[in-house]
């Protein structure tokens, strides 16, 4: 067996984290992107800049600030504490929140672009055919923005897989709960266990490549049938 | 059975793995290791990370934790003392006297960042005491920690580096490449200290095991003093 | 029931300013030069162009007033846009289904199947829009708009991209549609033929203003409107089927000024129909001529001579109470010495039955 | 110079199969039902549809054969697409400039300014395409195609979205254009009026096959083609300006079978023109009638009677060597006892000068 | 003075790195994205998956492998050595290469989506007006894909600003040459100099926010003029 039990656990945690984060990213990012693409508010560009901002901080530093915020003395942690809730730092839930926060720009931006490219005409046609705004969104905007959703999901998922700094900071690298593959590889490298690092990296690459192939391949066949 | 959550400096993670294995043989507790940089562990601990014991790469951070009342009072102790070597994977690069440092036929010299790593600080002291700290500035590359410094050298990108003795010695005490061990007089001892963060029986048992002769033997085997 | 429209919109150089009650029955043709605001008007009625301070009611439903603005999807309109606007991501079949599914009330009469057959798009069901020709796209768009079973049809030049044979098939269908379903239709067209054929009312727009609104028959023969002066001026009036001669396939049509023979399908006696007579098809003679292939000849009084100085004059003739326009060259008018009040014979070569 | 076309394309249910030499001069109208392959043909000529094993040469240039395929941008064509296809990211002015800049040879004759004025789009220069009406977009597209000074114009229903007044202004311009610049034009249209007016040759397409190709005049009066049987059948023939009566604004036109009076602008004597006579405008009398507003009356011989069993028959009359089609009801034909070989009088109410 | 001279140097190096990387990313990414958006090759999805792959590895791990590759025994380092070129590790050039490699997916994907949305019709029209493929690309495709270019530049630039792991691994933290702001902040955090970390983070955030505001604001005004 090339992979230790701990590595496999980390892999499992990673997939769970990436999958869950991607779903949440899409759920939160889609309405934001839709609003950004359709709004004519003068100060929209302010929000656009804000969405891209988490990108510019190194992940470890971002993680550090998230840690401060989530910690018992931080605003979020304090609030949760006073409500009698469990603190989020060093829990899987905390990781999901951190990943969502950090990967948001990668999901919002492709979606916003895809939505911007949908002509008003198509939405108007749908309206005259009796489709409510929500119906229009799901029956016209979403299918037309499909390439945007694929890009958003791939970037969001892959980025969470490779995500590292934030998770390291607010997760605490606790095996079985917050230790993800990227950290496990990093640990192997740090501990000079290069061959384990190689195997784990190769495994992660293979797995990701196969997943990406499936996503793009299925998409290709689907679009191909249309043309 | 309790899990003992241990935050441990990356450079000590191999050694503590073996210690934990031995410890678990005679105990029904389980040791859960979280290796990483000590600066990060410190930040996490003061923000409520659920660690029971902290094995730091230096003495400063455990001391601060103790002063701030986060760690158990009087639990701090030195579990290992690191040895510094100048190393090259090339078997005839480093001479036994370390004269190579005065020559100018090497490219980059890797050291750990003196601000972050006790090994880096020690390396700086050695170079200062040799009077070549300033003159080597332009050839120096800094790793964030001692592991990264080792990678700079072992990958061949830096010709020489100040690394930990533990990194270059294997289980049979054979050293690949060439090295020079600077005399202790050139740098302050690299004391790696640990503190207890929670007053748990299990954690105290682990610490007791580390302090025991059996534990110390394992540590010595990995190249610490 | 009627459609009350009041819109005032300023858009850079263009101002749409309309305050009108449009008949809530039959086809209202909207006619006017390019850029006069036809599309803008339809869009405002569909709720796609939001014009503040406007007012719009259809029948007893208020769609827009000072207090409310009914969202487009709550207005039961079928809109065929000027450019074919199919959903690119859906097949022909699913495009049509899109409207069908969202229809406010279902019907299983197979009306939509009939529409598909008539529009000759049945074989295209599985294709994607980018695999269709321009005319095919337009036909699918018509079917889709009908599928939603609207209460009001807005058609923006729906037949512009179609050949005459297809037009000739679709026009009667659209006609029958508005008669059978009794939904009002606003129909933008550049073709007088189509308008004459299909429309009950005519709305003339110019630079965003209504220049005339009324019955097609009245407007087409009104000498005060440019319509009567154009080279394809025409008269439209009502007549009743009086007889059908099966041998020659000719229908006799009575109208207040006499009767016409027309080539048409057999119709029940007593049926009311609309006749279209082009001014250029009406010639004037002083005597009732014999031995001519022209079947329709009857006495008329010259009511008015228009554009007297033009090479081509327009004569407004009265056959009893029915006006008829006729184009004559000034040379002929002078040769025949035509004057207001003269009784002459009108020869009508062709008459078209519109409905 | 001619345009040699040989294409064979199978596309799901549709097959385009053409092997033809199209005249390299004048306007060739392409006429056929929706979905028959008109657009596909133009696209193949422009090089946008790549058909393997095809052959295409324009004049002495080979654009496509077994060994080569000239890229679309190297073919000097001006293409007005069926849907208005302006660049959405460029203003009207810059859309036109786009073609102008890339023209293979410059001219400073101000021809493009003239086009802009005629198309009445001068005031739209700064607008973006989404701020234009449908007809305005189409006009800008025409100007843009002309700006590139092409060697071959491909027009896919360029006037479909325009009102008659505008059409009436643009048509003569397009006419003059192909005469002045001497570039061949392929013109897709659904309107017989436009075709009759504009085209020299006619290409009839059906289901991807050429059903007829030839001079407009020949095809329109050819009794073997469906064109002659339709309700708007017509005859087109050449005539020479013989006289102009300034007083009445009437031009006398000589043709092999007699002469016509027509309403037209003054033309130099001797000018060759084309005349269009609709079959429905021609009536038949046994005697030469007097006191009628109809100016054009002359003796003809009945050459053939078509569709004898229909309610409406078509008579092919010979005025000298010139054929004329006439629509008569069977009733009239019987009443007048028309037979092949009879000499009768043709009354032509309206004659249109085409060029 | 809140910022040390070294911090300011790091800031300067960072901006130079991010700016240069973004330019190179756009230069390399644009043709790749264009090809991906227009090609009908059956196995295109294979390349698409490959482009997204660097994302899934943690940056530090990626940096580790880059370090191995750049070393005298690695494929790249060996090749350069045999050509007599300078090794790339611990040089600014090396950093640029690493950043370009790592940020590529963030540039290619938005561009590819933007290009895919350009209708063939527009390109066909341009062709009939005499525009060569290259001309079409610059006069039609590029302006129409403007939102995609903005997203690609923002993601590429911001991601390089926050880039960390790769730089850490192959940079060697040499002040004035390979020490960038993200590492400086990280060092402050690790060295428990939290207030310096706060100031530097805040400075980076402000600077980035202003830059993003300018990008989005100018874009808004520009697009606004069109509508
Ligand atoms: N991509 C495609 N795949 C399959 N069939 C196609 C495709 N594109 C066009 N067709 C079919 O080819 C035929 C010819 O199309 P074309 O656009 O040339 O017609 P057209 O003569 O221009 O018609 P219209 O007058 O309606 O514009 C049509 O029957 C159409 O359905
Ligand atoms: N967004 C806009 N901004 C400024 N002017 C506009 C805008 N949209 C349309 N217009 C102008 O409004 C006028 C009316 O346009 P509309 O589309 O209603 O014309 P139309 O009657 O449908 O013409 P067509 O027959 O050419 O389709 C036109 O002059 C057009 O230029
Ligand atoms: Mg319009
Ligand atoms: Mg077509």
């Amino acid at each position: 067996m090339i992979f230790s039990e701990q590595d496999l656990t980390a892999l499992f945690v990673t997939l769970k984290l990436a999958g869950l984060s991607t779903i949440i990213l899409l759920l939160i990012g889609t309405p934001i992107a839709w609003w950004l693409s359709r709004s004519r508010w003068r100060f929209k560009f302010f929000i656009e800049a804000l969405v891209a901002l988490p990108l510019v901080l190194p992940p470890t530093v971002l993680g550090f600030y998230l840690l401060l915020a989530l910690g018992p003395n931080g605003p979020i942690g304090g609030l949760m504490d006073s409500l009698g809730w469990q603190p989020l730092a060093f829990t899987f839930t905390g990781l999901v929140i951190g990943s969502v926060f950090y990967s948001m720009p990668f999901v919002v931006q492709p979606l916003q672009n895809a939505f911007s490219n949908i002509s008003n005409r198509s939405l108007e046609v749908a309206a005259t055919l009796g489709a409510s705004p929500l119906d229009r969104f799901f029956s016209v905007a979403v299918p037309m923005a499909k390439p945007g959703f694929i890009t958003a999901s791939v970037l969001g998922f892959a980025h969470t897989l490779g995500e590292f700094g934030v998770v390291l900071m607010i997760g605490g690298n606790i095996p079985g709960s917050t230790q993800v593959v990227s950290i496990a590889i990093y640990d192997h490298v740090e501990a000079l266990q290069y061959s384990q690092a190689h195997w784990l990296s190769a495994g992660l690459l293979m797995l990701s490549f196969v997943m990406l192939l499936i996503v793009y391949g299925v998409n290709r066949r689907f679009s191909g049938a249309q043309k | 059975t309790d899990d003992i959550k241990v935050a441990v400096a990356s450079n000590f993670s191999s050694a503590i793995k073996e210690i934990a294995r031995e410890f678990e043989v005679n105990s029904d507790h389980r040791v859960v290791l979280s290796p990483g940089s000590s600066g990060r562990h410190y930040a996490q601990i003061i923000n409520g990370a659920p660690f029971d014991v902290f094995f730091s790469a230096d003495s400063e951070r455990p001391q601060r934790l103790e002063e701030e009342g986060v760690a158990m009072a009087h639990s701090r102790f030195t579990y290992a003392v690191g040895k510094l070597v100048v190393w090259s994977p090339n078997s005839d690069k480093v001479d036994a006297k370390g004269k190579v440092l005065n020559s100018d036929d090497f490219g980059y010299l890797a050291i750990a960042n003196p601000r972050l790593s006790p090994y880096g600080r020690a390396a700086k002291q050695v170079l200062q005491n040799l009077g070549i700290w300033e003159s080597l500035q332009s050839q120096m590359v800094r790793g964030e920690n001692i592991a990264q410094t080792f990678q700079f050298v072992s990958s061949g990108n830096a010709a020489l580096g100040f690394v930990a003795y533990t990194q270059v010695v294997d289980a049979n005490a054979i050293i690949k490449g060439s090295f020079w061990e600077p005399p202790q007089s050139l740098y302050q001892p690299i004391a790696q200290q640990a503190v207890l963060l929670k007053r748990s029986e299990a954690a105290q048992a682990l610490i007791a095991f580390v302090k025991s002769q059996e534990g110390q033997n394992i540590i010595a085997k990995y190249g610490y003093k | 029931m009627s459609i009350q429209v009041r819109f005032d919109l300023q858009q850079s150089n263009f101002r749409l300013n309309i305050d009108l009650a449009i008949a809530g029955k039959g086809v209202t043709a909207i006619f006017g030069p390019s850029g006069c605001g036809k599309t803008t008007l339809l869009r405002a009625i569909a709720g796609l162009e939001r014009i503040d301070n406007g007012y719009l009611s259809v029948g007893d439903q208020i769609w827009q007033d000072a207090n409310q603005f009914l969202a487009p999807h709550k207005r039961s309109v079928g809109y065929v846009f000027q450019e074919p606007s199919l959903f690119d991501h859906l097949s022909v079949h699913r495009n049509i289904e899109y409207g069908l599914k969202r229809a406010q009330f279902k019907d299983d009469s197979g009306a939509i199947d009939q529409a598909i057959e008539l529009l000759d798009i049945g074989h295209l069901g599985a294709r994607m829009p980018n695999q269709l020709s321009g005319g095919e796209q337009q036909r699918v768009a018509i079917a889709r708009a009908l599928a939603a079973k609207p209460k009001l049809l807005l058609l923006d030049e729906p037949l512009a991209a179609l050949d005459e044979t297809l037009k000739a098939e679709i026009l009667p269908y659209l006609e029958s549609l508005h008669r059978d379903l009794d939904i009002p239709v606003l129909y933008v067209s550049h073709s007088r033929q189509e308008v004459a054929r299909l429309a009950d009312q005519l709305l003339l727009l110019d630079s965003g203003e209504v220049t005339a609104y009324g019955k097609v028959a009245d407007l087409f023969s009104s000498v005060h409107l440019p319509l009567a002066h154009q080279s394809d001026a025409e008269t439209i009036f009502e007549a009743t089927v009086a007889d059908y001669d099966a041998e020659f396939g000719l229908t006799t049509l009575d109208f207040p000024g006499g009767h016409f023979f027309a080539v048409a399908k057999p119709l029940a006696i007593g049926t009311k129909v609309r006749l279209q007579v082009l001014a250029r098809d009406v010639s004037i003679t002083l005597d009732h001529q014999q031995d001519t292939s022209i079947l329709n000849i009857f006495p008329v009084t010259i009511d008015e001579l228009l554009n007297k100085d033009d090479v081509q004059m327009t004569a407004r003739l009265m056959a009893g109470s029915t006006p008829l326009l006729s184009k004559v060259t000034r040379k002929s008018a002078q040769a025949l010495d035509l004057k207001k009040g003269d009784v002459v014979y009108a020869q009508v070569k062709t008459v078209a039955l519109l409905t």
Side-chain angles (χ1 to χ4, degrees), chain A, chain B, chain C:
Chain A
M1 186 76 195
I2 321 163
F3 303 121
S4 68
E5 197 189 327
Q6 194 170 332
D7 289 346
L8 291 178
T9 311
L11 191 67
F12 176 73
V13 172
T14 305
L15 292 180
K16 199 168 93 177
L17 174 67
L20 214 62
S21 298
T22 307
I23 292 170
I24 296 175
L25 278 165
L26 289 177
L27 289 180
I28 301 180
T30 304
I32 297 179
W34 181 248
W35 179 81
L36 284 175
S37 76
R38 294 287 137 180
S39 159
R40 295 173 160 241
W41 188 42
R42 292 186 53 189
F43 297 107
K44 189 180 78 173
F45 69 107
F46 200 84
I47 309 288
E48 285 179 294
L50 215 60
V51 167
L53 208 55
L55 267 180
V56 304
L57 278 189
T60 357
V61 174
L62 198 73
F64 172 63
Y65 287 109
L66 272 175
L67 184 66
L68 291 187
L70 294 178
N73 311 319
I76 302 175
L79 183 76
M80 304 213 31
D81 207 31
S82 65
L83 290 173
W85 290 348
Q86 291 295 314
L88 288 172
F90 314 114
T91 63
F92 183 76
T93 316
L95 283 198
V96 173
I97 293 175
S99 300
V100 165
F101 189 68
Y102 184 56
S103 295
M104 194 54 87
F106 301 118
V107 169
V108 169
Q109 300 235 8
L111 286 182
Q112 184 187 342
N113 280 355
F115 286 146
S116 301
N117 276 310
I118 295 174
S119 70
N120 272 325
R121 173 53 52 89
S122 301
L123 297 171
E124 287 178 354
V125 170
T128 64
L129 291 171
S132 67
L134 206 69
D135 185 358
R136 295 205 279 280
F137 178 75
F138 284 109
S139 63
V140 178
V142 169
M144 285 188 167
K146 206 189 63 183
F149 275 97
I150 288 173
T151 297
S153 311
V154 166
L155 290 184
F157 190 88
H159 195 250
T160 310
L161 279 194
E163 219 286 284
F164 176 75
V166 173
V167 168
L168 199 62
M169 264 294 176
I170 63 174
N173 199 6
I174 299 167
S177 139
T178 64
Q179 187 179 62
V180 296
V181 166
S182 55
I183 299 182
I185 300 176
Y186 179 70
D187 282 350
H188 286 311
V189 171
E190 291 282 287
L192 313 186
Q193 298 163 336
Y194 290 165
S195 80
Q196 268 131 306
H198 295 338
W199 278 115
L200 206 49
S201 297
L204 182 62
L205 278 180
M206 292 292 287
L207 184 77
S208 309
F209 192 60
V210 169
M211 277 173 29
L212 288 171
L213 276 187
I214 292 172
V215 169
Y216 288 118
V218 165
N219 177 43
R220 190 193 78 89
R221 187 170 313 167
F222 184 59
S223 314
Q226 295 190 346
K227 271 165 202 162
Chain B
T1 75
D2 288 339
D3 282 357
I4 311 166
K5 294 200 175 102
V6 178
V8 58
S10 296
N11 74 52
F12 194 60
S13 73
S14 301
I16 197 142
K17 258 186 207 155
E18 186 170 341
I19 291 173
R21 226 171 16 244
E22 294 300 322
F23 172 74
E24 280 170 350
V25 170
N26 300 314
S27 153
D28 38 352
H29 301 304
R30 211 162 62 93
V31 179
V32 179
L33 298 172
S34 295
S37 101
S38 299
R40 195 183 78 234
H41 279 142
Y42 171 85
Q44 289 174 333
I45 288 164
I46 60 172
N47 282 291
F51 296 122
D52 298 315
V53 191
F54 174 33
F55 288 88
S56 178
D58 63 356
S59 53
E60 194 180 308
R61 292 177 183 107
Q63 193 179 340
R64 275 179 78 159
L65 287 174
E66 206 175 48
E67 283 162 14
E68 285 160 1
V70 180
M72 298 293 108
H74 312 302
S75 65
R76 181 160 61 94
F77 73 103
T78 301
Y79 62 89
V81 175
K83 270 197 292 190
L84 191 66
V85 293
V86 175
W87 176 71
S88 162
N90 193 333
S91 55
D92 44 38
K93 186 87 186 172
V94 185
D95 55 296
K97 294 262 169 61
K99 290 249 162 53
V100 64
L101 288 174
N102 294 313
S103 73
D104 44 3
D105 76 341
F106 63 90
Y108 289 110
L109 170 68
I111 66 167
N113 192 330
R115 282 171 65 219
L116 309 181
S117 160
Y119 287 93
R121 190 168 48 214
K124 183 177 175 182
Q125 288 162 357
V126 170
L127 291 172
Q128 279 173 334
N129 286 333
L130 292 175
I132 50 178
W133 170 251
E134 292 300 333
S135 63
L136 283 179
Q137 276 303 319
S138 63
Q139 285 172 272
M140 226 178 276
V141 294
R142 292 165 192 78
E144 275 331 276
N145 51 42
I146 199 67
Q148 207 190 324
T149 311
F150 177 77
Q151 285 149 15
F152 286 168
V153 187
S154 70
S155 67
N157 287 293
L160 297 179
F162 282 89
V163 302
Y165 178 70
T166 62
Q167 293 174 310
V168 298
V169 68
D170 72 5
N172 305 315
I174 295 172
I175 292 175
K176 204 178 122 229
S178 54
F179 75 104
W180 168 60
E181 189 180 339
Q184 283 292 339
S185 57
L186 289 180
Y187 64 98
Q188 283 171 359
I190 304 166
Q192 303 200 177
Q193 295 196 325
V195 278
L196 190 61
L197 299 168
K198 291 212 181 81
R199 196 172 298 287
S200 94
E201 298 257 326
Q204 277 167 337
L206 177 66
I207 285 184
F209 183 75
V210 170
K211 287 177 174 169
S212 73
Q213 193 55 48
E214 196 183 350
Q216 287 297 310
N217 285 346
I218 296 173
I219 291 173
K221 194 175 91 189
Y222 277 87
Y224 297 95
K225 265 197 289 203
Chain C
M1 182 184 157
S2 79
I3 304 173
Q4 299 273 351
V5 180
R6 197 174 63 239
F7 289 129
D8 191 347
L9 167 81
Q10 182 73 48
Q11 200 174 44
S12 60
N13 294 324
F14 172 75
R15 178 170 177 207
L16 181 75
N17 186 10
I18 288 187
D19 186 353
L20 190 70
I22 299 173
K25 276 185 59 169
V27 176
T28 302
I30 302 177
F31 206 81
S34 175
C36 71
K38 305 180 292 297
T39 300
T40 310
L41 175 61
L42 292 201
R43 286 176 56 82
I45 291 175
L48 301 175
E49 202 79 50
R50 196 168 182 143
I51 300 179
D52 294 333
N53 297 322
Y55 178 88
L56 174 64
S57 66
V58 174
D60 44 11
Q61 279 191 310
I62 293 177
W63 283 7
Q64 173 177 0
D65 64 12
N67 307 314
Q68 58 174 331
F69 183 89
L70 200 68
H73 68 278
K74 295 200 180 128
R75 306 181 178 196
S76 179
V77 299
Y79 194 156
V80 176
F81 288 78
Q82 193 168 4
E83 310 86 41
S85 308
L86 299 182
F87 295 123
D88 283 337
H89 66 296
L90 298 179
S91 68
V92 165
H93 179 73
R94 291 180 152 260
N95 260 286
I96 294 173
E97 210 180 56
Y98 193 98
L100 215 51
K101 270 198 208 149
R102 287 161 180 84
Q104 294 194 347
F105 48 99
K106 310 284 162 204
D107 89 343
D108 307 312
S109 65
I112 186 64
D113 294 330
Q114 190 198 335
I116 288 173
E117 190 182 332
L118 230 139
L119 292 161
D120 192 22
I121 49 175
H123 59 296
L124 304 174
R127 297 241 197 114
M128 299 305 288
N130 63 4
Q131 299 174 310
L132 300 182
S133 80
E136 286 164 349
Q137 289 182 34
Q138 197 63 10
R139 285 180 273 158
V140 175
I142 296 174
R144 185 179 60 180
L146 296 176
K149 313 232 169 39
K151 291 241 171 57
L152 170 62
L153 257 182
L154 305 173
L155 306 177
D156 203 346
E157 301 190 46
L159 307 185
L162 302 185
D163 55 295
E164 319 240 320
T165 319
L166 255 173
K167 262 188 198 164
E169 280 169 26
I170 298 177
L171 268 175
Y173 171 68
L174 288 179
E175 268 173 349
S176 75
L177 202 76
H178 92 259
R179 198 149 332 109
D180 297 351
L181 303 181
D182 199 26
I183 47 177
V185 180
L186 297 189
Y187 190 98
V188 173
S189 171
H190 286 313
S191 157
R192 290 174 61 101
Q193 279 304 315
E194 264 172 58
V195 169
R197 171 89 196 249
L198 203 58
D200 302 294
Q201 293 84 234
L202 184 59
L203 171 52
L204 289 183
L205 264 187
D206 200 356
S207 309
E209 309 253 357
V210 176
T211 50
Y213 172 74
K215 292 210 155 212
V216 171
D218 299 345
L219 292 194
F220 270 23
S221 58
S222 160
V223 294
H224 305 295
L225 288 173
L227 286 176
H229 302 249
Q230 288 170 3
S231 64
D232 52 353
E234 61 196 0
T235 322
I236 289 176
F237 51 90
E238 303 231 316
T240 318
V241 175
D243 191 18
Y244 179 68
D245 177 348
E247 191 193 343
F248 293 113
L250 289 180
T251 304
T252 310
L253 300 156
D254 280 352
F255 74 102
H259 53 263
F260 265 115
F261 298 102
V263 175
K265 296 211 183 71
L267 283 169
I269 297 202
T271 310
K272 297 245 174 249
V273 296
R274 268 193 310 165
L275 298 182
Q276 175 197 33
V277 176
L278 297 185
R280 39 173 279 179
D281 282 344
V282 180
S283 52
I284 295 174
T285 57
L286 299 185
D287 303 319
H288 189 307
Q289 300 196 317
Q290 308 298 327
D291 288 341
T292 168
S293 66
I294 299 178
L295 288 175
N296 297 304
I297 301 181
F298 34 76
V300 292
T301 315
I302 298 180
D303 182 51
E304 205 166 347
L305 286 168
L306 301 159
N307 324 85
K308 284 200 183 133
D309 300 331
D310 284 7
V311 172
Q312 285 265 27
M313 301 171 44
T314 305
R316 186 175 151 112
L317 313 172
M318 296 305 292
S321 62
T322 305
L324 263 184
L325 295 178
S326 167
K327 289 267 175 203
V328 285
T329 55
R330 195 166 77 242
K331 177 167 182 169
S332 300
Q334 196 162 320
L336 301 184
D337 191 22
L338 299 181
K339 290 183 310 293
K340 185 172 164 140
D342 281 3
V343 175
V344 292
Y345 287 88
Q347 294 187 336
V348 181
K349 171 96 170 78
T350 319
V351 52
L353 225 76
L354 291 180
T355 41

